[in-house]
Amino acid sequence: MNIIEIRDLKKDYPLGDTIVPALRGVDLTVAAGDFMSIIGPSGSGKTTLLNVIGCIDLATAGSVKVGGREITALDDRQITDIRLNKIGFIFQTFNLIPVLDVIENVEFPLLLMKRPAAEARRRADKLIEEVGLKEYAAHRPSELSGGQRQRVAIARALVTNPDIILADEPTANLDSVTGASILELMRRMNEIEKTTFIFSTHDANVLKYARRIVRIKDGLIEKEPVAA
Amino acid sequence: MLLIKLSLRNLLRQKRRNILLGSAMAIGVCILVVANSFSHGISDIMFNKVMNYVTGHVAIRFNERGGVMREIFRDRARVFAAVKNEPLIESADEAVGMFARAIGNGRSDNIILVGVDTRKGLSEKGRKEVEESFRLIEGTWKDMESPAIENPVIISEEKARYLNVKKNDIVRVRFRNMFGQDQAERLTIAGIMKNDNIFMQPVVFLELSREKKMLGYRSYETGSLKLKIKDPQKNAFAVADRIHEKLRPGTAVIYASAAGRSGRRPAILLGFKSDDQSKKQIAGLLKLSSGSFEKTFRKDGVIVPAGLARELGVTAGSEMTVRYDRKFEKTPREAVLHVSAVCAAGDYPGRDVILLSDSGFYDLYYFDLPAGPGPGAEAYSAAAAGAWSGLVAPEWVLLKRTFNTEDYTKKYQEIARNKWKGTTIDVSTMYETASDILKLESVLNIITISAVLVLFFIILLGVVNTLRMTIRERTREIGTVRAIGMQRSDVRDMFILETFFLTLFSSAAGSLLGFIAMRLLSLITFHPQDNPLGMLLVNGHLYFLPTFPGIAGSVLLIIAIAVVTAWFPARRAANLSPAQALGHFS
Ligand SMILES: Nc1ncnc2c1ncn2[C@@H]1O[C@H](COP(=O)(O)OP(=O)(O)OP(=O)(O)O)[C@@H](O)[C@H]1O
Ligand SMILES: [Mg+2]
């Protein structure tokens, strides 16, 4: 089953009087449960593609189906609901909420879903344990290292049991050892939770973690080699 | 819950900035609370401490025969009946006061003599109030009732000092009585009091019945009435309206007997209105067989119907006597009247009716109020007057109710202009008569409003600026929560809540500060005699009366301003596109 189906996706950014074409006709399907990497040089359109898939940016043209649902025609409230329920995000800069401690950050999406507080707490506890931060539950993000913060972000992305987790260069702000451990954690969670992961990178070293690799250049996807 | 937690924690995040804005708001609230309590304090002094003693919450005033100074009503019992059975009235007192020139030891000064009804006995609450407001430093209130002392009075400390008099000294006073005659009396200083505020300094208290006698009242007559009302702000108008309704006048009737050459017959004396319009109408109704309508306006001139004239044996030009029983005196009243006209036919108020012009009629009627129709005799009903019902003289003229000072002043100008022949009765509340006090209050309100305006700008600039900075700093955070799935409206509410809590805490702090400020300000002692603002003081101290609605109103107002101001930047933050917000690096 394909969790994502993209047909002829175009995305232009207006820049003053000119238009910058960031995506110029992308076709892409992603199978449920995949662990996929998008690689490409800087400015090739990785972030733009992930944003469109993650419903935080709108396509200029083309069709984007997430979980079988066409998202290009939805209003803001519906799209926000899709983000909340179907998609998890991991950011390059971690983006935790500084005024909430680790456990509160992780349970945050569940509270947005109006889940009972006790149930949210239980689920968040479990994930914090899985990402190995049990002792840090009561710490604020500012008291954690980069790698620990990214683990919290992974727990937060997973807490709602989303269909897809999108990670835009999740290791770019980490040293290579920590980066590797983060990717290993993602890979393990992919296996435990069966969640689809798509992460972008411009670092060829991390490609070995990917089950599938998609190369992007100048807003177009390069022909994929036959899977190894 | 989640939003509340987030906004409270975010509030603590930028401590310095929020403390700065919060302090500004707190100072604003503090000023508002103090100003509000001060202006309430002033109204309280004016209305509940000063006006209360001068006019009461509701006053019933009388002006006999259009005389502005002639504040008398001849039937005390009748007005007291109108205020009876009214549970909202706490007390009803005769308010008799007069200006007088007092001559002390080598010095003289103006005083206001105020009558105090010591016989009636005060309620516990009333006694406390009086003792609090007028503390005697010499003598006792009891001395005022002592028959052994010649006109015992209680005088203020300041006035006694000025007149150079001590306890038991004699003060001579000159004054004009109700009928415009100059009088002189001797007063004995029986007590000296210290009082609250400058308004009360010229007041000299004297036993009510003594004062009434000096002014020329008989015991069954009364001056103005002052009423104390429960919760006056709420009830005064309604009570005044009800009393007004109960004081609707009937027709003034004198049940008399008339005597002429051929004998004595029962007769009814009525007055007719003598204003130009009524005169014209009456001239149209009367068919005179002899004499003239004009002559009726001479002193003691009357119109007699032809039948009665025949029975009495009187004709135009002849004299007759009338006699009637008086309501308050044992002996009957007799008067000689001149027949100015005999009415043959036409519309006439009744076959026994002798008509006088109102001016002559009220001479009799007011000075010697007539008794009722007497046993067996039929009461004269206004309905019998037919076409005359609007033309015969009423018992008194009830002035219409007014609701603001402007109308009230107009009403009194009209009394002077209209030259009413009857006694006018006016029922009014202190709120419509106390123009100067209300003006003072409105000045204070302007001060308060200016404070609100200043505060408004502080909040406007402060909130908008703070939020703008906050939003710029937290753009990526907004992008994050939006990406995770927070709705736009929740983002907006989060920022509004932040402002709301900031304002709420600042208001609480500001109110507290206000109370502390009032506490401190009221510790300062002023000396009212050399301070023109003495009337704003109680016992030489500033007086604040914080009220819950006043403070809650200020706080709500500020919160409302802040929330409305926060709305627009908060909405702009919520409408940021999540992708752009995430791409923002600060
Ligand atoms: N908000 C924007 N306004 C205008 N142009 C944009 C905007 N965002 C991206 N672009 C342009 O779109 C193209 C694709 O950008 P995108 O950020 O998707 O690339 P990327 O592959 O993520 O690069 P990087 O590896 O540097 O993150 C670039 O040419 C970029 O300049
Ligand atoms: Mg990028």
Side-chain angles (χ1 to χ4, degrees), chain A residues 11-16 19-23 38-51 57 92 168-169 200-202 216 219, chain B residues 579-580 583:
Chain A
K11 174 71 185 175
D12 298 332
Y13 287 110
L15 191 73
I19 283 171
V20 181
L23 298 174
I38 299 174
I39 188 165
S42 190
S44 56
K46 304 183 291 292
T47 300
T48 307
L49 179 58
L50 286 180
N51 282 354
D57 211 348
Q92 179 183 338
D168 191 11
E169 309 202 35
S200 74
T201 183
H202 57 254
I216 186 166
Chain B
Q580 268 172 322

Side-chain angles (χ1 to χ4, degrees), chain B residues 429-497:
Chain B
T429 70
M430 64 180 174
Y431 300 105
E432 63 215 62
T433 48
S435 63
D436 291 346
I437 294 168
L438 291 173
K439 250 181 238 153
L440 187 69
E441 233 201 323
S442 63
V443 168
L444 280 169
N445 283 338
I446 288 171
I447 295 173
T448 313
I449 288 168
S450 327
V452 171
L453 275 180
V454 170
L455 198 57
F456 179 80
F457 280 107
I458 293 176
I459 295 175
L460 205 76
L461 292 176
V463 167
V464 168
N465 256 321
T466 305
L467 272 187
R468 194 181 290 158
M469 280 201 280
T470 306
I471 288 163
R472 195 181 309 132
E473 282 165 17
R474 283 200 232 144
T475 303
R476 204 140 54 85
E477 232 172 288
I478 296 169
T480 306
V481 293
R482 290 281 287 131
I484 289 174
M486 189 186 261
Q487 292 289 354
R488 263 181 192 161
S489 53
D490 288 343
V491 173
R492 182 197 61 206
D493 294 349
M494 189 173 72
F495 282 103
I496 291 175
L497 270 175

Side-chain angles (χ1 to χ4, degrees), chain B residues 15-176:
Chain B
K15 276 203 195 87
R16 187 134 45 90
R17 183 190 302 162
N18 285 327
I19 285 175
L20 215 67
L21 176 58
S23 309
M25 291 204 259
I27 290 168
V29 172
C30 168
I31 293 171
L32 266 188
V33 166
V34 172
N36 194 286
S37 307
F38 188 60
S39 102
H40 264 104
I42 296 221
S43 329
D44 182 60
I45 294 178
M46 296 301 179
F47 285 128
N48 299 332
K49 298 203 161 59
V50 177
M51 292 297 283
N52 201 353
Y53 293 104
V54 182
T55 67
H57 301 135
V58 170
I60 307 175
R61 292 188 180 78
F62 311 101
N63 290 95
E64 193 175 78
R65 320 207 66 178
V68 176
M69 292 302 291
R70 207 154 153 181
E71 296 184 2
I72 182 170
F73 191 71
R74 305 290 186 164
D75 192 347
R76 188 176 177 277
R78 175 73 179 81
V79 257
F80 272 95
V83 300
K84 248 199 349 234
N85 302 327
E86 176 62 73
L88 293 173
I89 296 180
E90 279 181 343
S91 70
D93 292 288
E94 286 177 60
V96 179
M98 62 173 162
F99 286 96
R101 188 76 188 165
I103 300 122
N105 291 325
R107 306 190 67 171
S108 67
D109 198 6
N110 292 330
I111 59 169
I112 304 168
L113 269 171
V114 172
V116 184
D117 193 352
T118 53
R119 286 181 201 168
K120 211 179 70 170
L122 282 169
S123 66
E124 193 54 38
K125 186 182 160 216
R127 189 186 305 279
K128 250 205 196 111
E129 257 180 45
V130 168
E131 276 166 10
E132 248 167 52
S133 303
F134 314 105
R135 282 159 302 129
L136 289 189
I137 51 178
E138 271 187 82
T140 66
W141 289 99
K142 268 262 166 286
D143 292 338
M144 240 173 34
E145 302 166 43
S146 167
I149 309 174
E150 181 182 21
N151 293 330
V153 296
I154 291 181
I155 191 168
S156 72
E157 195 187 13
E158 291 83 5
K159 198 57 84 177
R161 198 185 310 128
Y162 187 84
L163 291 173
N164 194 19
V165 292
K166 296 188 296 296
K167 187 168 187 285
N168 299 329
D169 280 0
I170 297 286
V171 172
R172 276 171 305 128
V173 285
R174 277 195 236 288
F175 58 93
R176 189 162 281 189

Side-chain angles (χ1 to χ4, degrees), chain A residues 76 83 93 95 99 104, chain B residues 9 476 480 482 487 582:
Chain A
D76 185 78
R83 287 202 297 268
T93 48
N95 292 13
V99 295
E104 287 167 337
Chain B
R9 292 214 186 149
R476 204 140 54 85
T480 306
R482 290 281 287 131
Q487 292 289 354
L582 277 168

Side-chain angles (χ1 to χ4, degrees), chain B residues 382-428:
Chain B
W388 283 75
S389 59
L391 299 170
V392 292
E395 293 173 287
W396 55 78
V397 178
L398 183 63
L399 299 177
K400 62 179 193 298
R401 291 270 299 117
T402 46
F403 300 95
N404 56 51
T405 313
E406 205 181 316
D407 290 349
Y408 183 80
T409 317
K410 244 187 241 156
K411 182 163 74 176
Y412 265 77
Q413 284 164 352
E414 259 166 46
I415 297 182
R417 193 166 335 115
N418 268 331
K419 299 197 186 73
W420 296 108
K421 301 296 190 297
T423 296
T424 56
I425 299 188
D426 172 62
V427 183
S428 45

Side-chain angles (χ1 to χ4, degrees), chain A residues 197-215:
Chain A
F197 274 76
I198 303 175
F199 70 98
S200 74
T201 183
H202 57 254
D203 177 4
N205 288 329
V206 303
L207 289 182
K208 59 174 182 276
Y209 295 98
R211 204 177 290 141
R212 177 183 169 199
I213 298 166
V214 168
R215 289 173 194 280

